[in-house]
Amino acid sequence: MPALVMEGVRKVYRSGSEEVVALDHADLVVGDDEMVTLLGPSGSGKTTLLSIAGGLLTPTEGRVVVGDQVVSDLDPRQLTAFRQRQVGFVFQSVNLVPFLTARENLTVVGELAGRPRRETGEQADRLLEELGLSHRAGNLATELSGGERQRVAIGRALMNDPKLVLVDEPTSALDTKMGEAVMELLRNEITGRGIAAVVVTHDTRMTHYTDRTVEIVDGRLQA
Amino acid sequence: MGSFLLAWREARRAKGRFGLLTGAVTVLVFLVVFQQAVLDGLVTEFVGAIRNQSADVLVYGEDARLNLQGSVVPPVAPEQVAAVEGVARAEPLGVAAVTVEAGGELEDATLFGHVLDGPGAPVEIEEGRRPERDGEAVASASAADDGFGVGDVVVVQPGGERIEIVGTARETSFSVTPTLFASYATYEAVLLSVNPDAPAVVPSAGAVEVEDGADPSAVAERITAEVEGVEAATRDRAADEAPGVQSVSQSLSIVLLLTYVVVTIVTGFFFLILTVQKQPTLTLLRAVGAPARSLVAALGMQVLLVVGGGFVLGAALAALVLRVASVGIEAGVAPAALVTTAAAVLLLAALACLGAARRITRLDPAWATLPGATPR
Ligand SMILES: Nc1ncnc2c1ncn2[C@@H]1O[C@H](COP(=O)(O)OP(=O)(O)OP(=O)(O)O)[C@@H](O)[C@H]1O
Ligand SMILES: [Mg+2]
């Protein structure tokens, strides 16, 4: 079963009388162990596509399926539960809760969802270890470097054992070396776990870390 | 549980701002509790004797406007009142401002004359016993050290009538003077000794005991309607509407109300500003699957933490200050008033934080994808 299926997805933003077609006739299938780069210039609709796949935005038209869940049919409350259980996000800008430590940033959503604390704690420790962050576990988010923050964000995205991880511009705020290290880490964490990923970038140097690259221009996916 | 952890961790790591708000709530609660105790103490000084005497209903002369000292009822009134439905017993009550020599000094006092086993006596005796014969009295306890203690004898001036104090009762001052509760005959004797030319001594008021199960306010209304030349009031109304009390409680109530308003505004704004500042964080949490209700719950816990903590500290401080510093009147923190204040403060704080809660429920998780997690 593919991790993500998008069929004829269209997204129109309305602000006042103006309409912006951010995404048009998007068809995309991501296999269950596949890592895909979504490449496109600024304003091409990359974040919009990612948001729709992850249940943050509802499409104006079309069908979105993640695993066996038809996401485009869910109401806001169900979408919250879907995001909590089925997908992992790494956002473009704000990713961490500043007044929580690295470890607490990993456990916070599980705690709010009522998962047993022992379970989330053990999983967080394991992930921090894998990400080479054990020694920073007790540091507040504000005390971490950009690369460390990005790694914590990746850890947070994996906390709920998602089917699909959605990553928006993970390297844009980092220098090339740090960016490559983060991509490397992402690749290692995701492959072999049966997790699919869509990684958004506009940097062609980062595409070789993934299995396949899909280009997007003006809201349309290129074959 | 998760909400509590989130709330607690944030508060712990922002000790400065949360400490500041807790401090502000502490000061405001201190003011509320302190003012309430002082107000209550003041009112007790004015009408403690009415509040803590046994008559359910007091019957005043028609023109007295609930002023005991300016009231005169016709001598036949108690009998007529006794005939009203719901009245178990009606007796005359005499109230007179007197000057007495007590502890070697001249003091103003108020003498209450009531039928010894009838309504109008202090409800509870703190020390000693009730008067058993004419010439004995129970005095208000707050004046015990000024020559109104058990075993003391006060001498009414002029006239020289002697009254022996055989017991004391708490919170029974009247018009900011000590009181003496004696037999009605003692009251008559004192009045005649002070003013030998007076033609006759008439009762100031009627003291009424209502039948078991009868509603005192209904009985009071019937008395006013059925008996010529009188106005009856329940004990509570008699105390609340006595001259002086209303103006004192009104002016202090306004200050009290303002303090409550300040508590509400301060907590409301604090949490609103905090929520606005935290918007990117809250949006992020919503985006990764935290239900809005757990974030609102975390807000609620912080409100409870800060306001609850501030309340406990403020109330403790007020109790301490009232105990240590003498405010010149009998004033203490009443547990019942404290419970009401706590409920009011928490309720107001909760209402004040509705704005912040609304902001949380209206966050759009999709904002998490935008720069700075803030809508454009
Ligand atoms: N909430 C919105 N309201 C109106 N227009 C929007 C909104 N969000 C996005 N858009 C528009 O939709 C288009 C696609 O935006 P999107 O954020 O998906 O692009 P992007 O490829 O992620 O760009 P970037 O590389 O700069 O992050 C843009 O023209 C953008 O201005
Ligand atoms: Mg984008």
Side-chain angles (χ1 to χ4, degrees):
Chain A
M1 194 196 308
L4 170 67
V5 178
M6 297 177 91
E7 289 167 358
V9 172
R10 180 178 162 86
K11 180 68 186 180
V12 182
Y13 290 111
R14 284 192 184 81
S15 47
S17 58
E18 239 175 276
E19 289 196 349
V20 179
V21 181
L23 207 58
D24 205 7
H25 297 107
D27 294 302
L28 180 66
V29 177
V30 179
D32 66 359
D33 199 5
E34 198 180 17
M35 196 164 167
V36 175
T37 296
L38 185 62
L39 182 71
S42 182
S44 55
K46 304 182 296 293
T47 299
T48 302
L49 186 144
L50 221 57
S51 305
I52 290 174
L56 281 171
L57 282 180
T58 35
T60 315
E61 270 172 42
R63 211 169 105 93
V64 180
V65 185
V66 172
D68 51 8
Q69 183 115 54
V70 183
V71 183
S72 40
D73 286 351
L74 301 179
D75 66 27
R77 193 175 285 251
Q78 293 168 321
L79 281 174
T80 300
F82 164 76
R83 294 194 302 271
Q84 186 193 98
R85 299 198 194 107
Q86 312 278 346
V87 287
F89 283 103
V90 178
F91 294 107
Q92 208 166 347
S93 58
V94 178
N95 263 304
L96 301 183
V97 179
F99 54 79
L100 295 183
T101 64
R103 187 175 188 273
E104 288 162 358
N105 263 285
L106 262 60
T107 55
V108 63
V109 177
E111 283 163 1
L112 287 176
R115 277 179 67 187
R117 274 186 84 193
R118 262 240 339 253
E119 193 185 299
T120 54
E122 283 170 3
Q123 193 180 4
D125 290 335
R126 203 166 55 240
L127 278 166
L128 287 170
E129 171 97 54
E130 282 175 26
L131 294 163
L133 282 170
S134 293
H135 64 297
R136 305 295 273 161
N139 283 89
L140 290 180
T142 47
E143 299 164 351
L144 302 176
S145 73
E148 285 170 338
R149 283 184 210 186
Q150 212 58 320
R151 281 187 279 161
V152 174
I154 292 169
R156 206 263 329 284
L158 295 170
M159 273 299 288
N160 53 357
D161 294 319
K163 302 258 179 316
L164 178 65
V165 175
L166 302 165
V167 187
D168 201 356
E169 307 263 9
T171 62
S172 61
L174 306 175
D175 63 34
T176 314
K177 227 178 113 195
M178 191 77 90
E180 281 170 351
V182 165
M183 284 304 286
E184 185 83 50
L185 194 76
L186 199 56
R187 158 126 228 128
N188 292 342
E189 284 298 322
I190 284 170
T191 47
R193 285 197 189 203
I195 303 177
V198 178
V199 183
V200 161
T201 186
H202 57 250
D203 187 347
T204 45
R205 287 170 304 174
M206 298 296 171
T207 56
H208 67 277
Y209 289 98
T210 61
D211 305 319
R212 172 159 76 98
T213 299
V214 176
E215 285 195 58
I216 181 168
V217 179
D218 285 343
R220 288 172 176 270
L221 295 175
Q222 318 285 298
Chain B
M1 186 62 201
S3 301
F4 178 76
L5 274 178
L6 185 67
W8 172 245
R9 284 168 177 161
E10 182 188 6
R12 215 176 39 154
R13 282 161 195 158
K15 283 197 196 79
R17 33 170 83 177
F18 279 86
L20 210 61
L21 180 64
T22 309
V25 174
T26 301
V27 170
L28 292 167
V29 168
F30 167 79
L31 287 176
V32 167
V33 174
F34 187 79
Q35 284 167 13
Q36 245 165 11
V38 169
L39 171 61
D40 202 57
L42 268 179
V43 170
T44 301
E45 287 293 308
F46 275 98
V47 291
I50 295 181
R51 277 188 182 169
N52 294 313
Q53 56 78 41
S54 61
D56 303 308
V57 171
L58 291 175
V59 183
Y60 296 77
E62 187 170 51
D63 307 323
R65 288 189 310 185
L66 305 191
N67 179 359
L68 265 186
Q69 278 155 320
S71 173
V72 175
V73 293
V76 290
E79 267 168 64
Q80 291 174 330
V81 169
V84 173
E85 188 196 335
V87 174
R89 192 172 171 186
E91 299 289 357
L93 187 70
V95 181
V98 292
T99 303
V100 296
E101 193 192 313
E105 284 181 43
L106 288 183
E107 302 249 13
D108 288 330
T110 307
L111 174 66
F112 282 74
H114 59 90
V115 174
L116 281 188
D117 66 344
V123 176
E124 268 177 50
I125 302 297
E126 184 181 49
E127 205 195 324
R129 59 169 175 84
R130 294 178 181 279
E132 283 161 4
R133 60 185 74 86
D134 298 340
E136 291 182 346
V138 166
S140 49
S142 54
D145 295 337
D146 303 327
F148 290 83
V150 174
D152 288 338
V153 172
V154 300
V155 183
V156 181
Q157 305 291 339
E161 199 71 24
R162 295 167 65 84
I163 299 176
E164 187 194 348
I165 298 181
V166 295
T168 60
R170 273 172 51 83
E171 302 191 339
T172 50
S173 298
F174 187 75
S175 274
V176 206
T177 66
T179 52
L180 296 159
F181 283 83
S183 69
Y184 191 74
T186 309
Y187 162 78
E188 287 178 317
V190 164
L191 252 59
L192 284 173
S193 79
V194 170
N195 185 3
D197 303 331
V201 176
V202 288
S204 312
V208 173
E209 186 186 315
V210 301
E211 283 171 356
D212 281 348
D215 171 19
S217 61
V219 172
E221 271 172 37
R222 274 200 293 274
I223 293 169
T224 307
E226 290 172 24
V227 179
E228 191 73 22
V230 302
E231 178 182 4
T234 60
R235 179 168 42 219
D236 285 346
R237 186 174 156 234
D240 294 345
E241 295 181 20
V245 168
Q246 264 182 322
S247 55
V248 167
S249 47
Q250 252 166 24
S251 47
L252 267 170
S253 293
I254 290 170
V255 179
L256 216 58
L257 196 75
L258 282 177
T259 318
Y260 276 118
V261 169
V262 173
V263 175
T264 313
I265 291 176
V266 166
T267 37
F269 266 100
F270 177 86
F271 281 103
L272 188 62
I273 291 168
L274 202 67
T275 304
V276 171
Q277 281 183 349
K278 270 196 313 195
Q279 181 166 308
T281 299
L282 295 167
T283 304
L284 168 74
L285 287 169
R286 289 285 287 116
V288 296
R293 95 187 96 80
S294 19
L295 299 180
V296 172
L299 168 75
M301 304 223 185
Q302 286 182 340
V303 174
L304 197 69
L305 199 72
V306 164
V307 176
F311 183 84
V312 170
L313 290 175
L317 193 66
L320 192 77
V321 169
L322 285 167
R323 174 168 293 215
V324 172
S326 162
V327 286
I329 50 171
E330 274 183 281
V333 176
L338 217 52
V339 171
T340 318
T341 309
V345 169
L346 273 178
L347 186 75
L348 289 174
L351 283 179
C353 292
L354 281 183
R358 242 166 68 114
R359 272 198 95 89
I360 293 175
T361 56
R362 292 190 170 185
L363 290 176
D364 186 345
W367 294 338
T369 63
L370 303 174
T374 319
R376 28 187 124 197

